[in-house]
């Protein structure tokens, strides 16, 4: 059976080489994923930080599978490449800017959940998959949804006044330091494979 947030229990562990490994599943931890990926340090430092952060006990002898399962959990059970997935309904082929930043947009996300769901994210304990299901279902009237639209909207074909307004909103809500910071998926996969081989040789 495919993962179904209604019919199956939300996972709190992943299976690696026939064994269950606990993984941190709270939404607060996983909201920090992008800040780790986009943060300082080289790719080896980042992958080591990710593994230590999300696994209470890192399965060091099965690092490649551990990384795959960590990515799978981050994508809420979707077996697709992270840079090719539609992270949100506003992240279509429009602009190259990301639709949201959990770090920068925290006040807007907090307000949207409180207004639409009466959920206080400051005190709520919530599984990452549940959080993302609610986040991706925010009303188009929510300010957070409008901000994501402004960031991703293409102004091609718009009237001059509308284009001027959208461009002003893009400037107002631009994600800070977002351009050019991410490696390509191919480069990241190569770096991570190199890391796995290096650690396997050290263990072996």
């Amino acid at each position: 059976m495919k993962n179904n947030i209604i019919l199956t229990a939300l996972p709190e562990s992943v299976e690696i080489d026939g064994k269950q490994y606990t993984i941190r599943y709270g939404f607060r931890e996983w909201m920090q994923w992008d800040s780790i990926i986009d943060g300082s340090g080289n790719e080896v430092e980042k992958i080591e930080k990710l593994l230590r952060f999300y696994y209470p006990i890192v399965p060091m002898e099965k690092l490649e599978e551990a990384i795959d399962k960590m990515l799978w959990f981050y994508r809420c059970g979707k077996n697709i490449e992270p840079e090719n997935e539609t992270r949100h309904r506003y992240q279509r082929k429009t602009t190259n800017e990301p639709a949201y930043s959990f770090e920068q947009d925290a006040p807007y996300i907090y307000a949207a959940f409180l207004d639409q769901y009466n959920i206080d994210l400051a005190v709520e304990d919530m599984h990452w998959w549940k959080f993302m299901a609610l986040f991706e279902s925010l009303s188009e009237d929510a300010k957070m949804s409008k901000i994501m639209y402004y960031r991703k909207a293409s102004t091609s074909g718009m009237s001059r006044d509308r284009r001027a307004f959208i461009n002003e909103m893009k400037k107002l809500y631009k994600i800070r330091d977002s351009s050019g910071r991410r490696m390509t998926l191919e480069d990241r996969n190569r770096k991570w494979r190199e890391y796995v081989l290096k650690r396997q040789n050290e263990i072996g």
Side-chain angles (χ1 to χ4, degrees), residues 10-11 18 26 34 39 41 45 48 57 71 76 99 104 109 113 124 140 147 153 162 177 194:
L10 295 176
D34 287 339
E45 292 170 338
E48 288 183 338
I57 300 176
L71 290 167
C76 302
Q104 184 172 322
I109 296 170
F113 270 68
E124 182 76 16
E140 293 186 359
I147 290 171
R162 180 62 176 172
D177 299 327
E194 290 173 359

Side-chain angles (χ1 to χ4, degrees), residues 2 28-29 58 69 89 129 141 159 166 186 198:
K2 293 183 178 180
R28 291 184 183 85
E29 286 82 4
V58 180
K69 289 298 176 65
R89 61 181 178 270
W129 290 18
D141 292 329
S159 68
I166 294 295
E186 181 180 358
K198 179 177 180 292

Side-chain angles (χ1 to χ4, degrees), residues 126-151:
M126 191 186 308
H127 194 284
W128 169 243
W129 290 18
K130 178 181 177 181
F131 169 82
M132 284 304 296
L134 296 174
F135 178 65
E136 293 181 351
S137 300
L138 287 175
S139 166
E140 293 186 359
D141 292 329
K143 185 171 184 178
M144 184 66 226
S145 296
K146 293 178 180 178
I147 290 171
M148 288 189 285
Y149 166 75
Y150 296 145
R151 289 172 178 158

Side-chain angles (χ1 to χ4, degrees), residues 43-53 58 60 195 198-199 202:
E43 289 304 300
V44 169
E45 292 170 338
K46 290 176 184 178
I47 189 60
E48 288 183 338
K49 185 173 182 179
L50 289 169
L51 287 166
R52 291 195 305 269
F53 193 72
V58 180
M60 296 300 297
Y195 165 76
K198 179 177 180 292
R199 293 309 303 264
E202 291 173 352

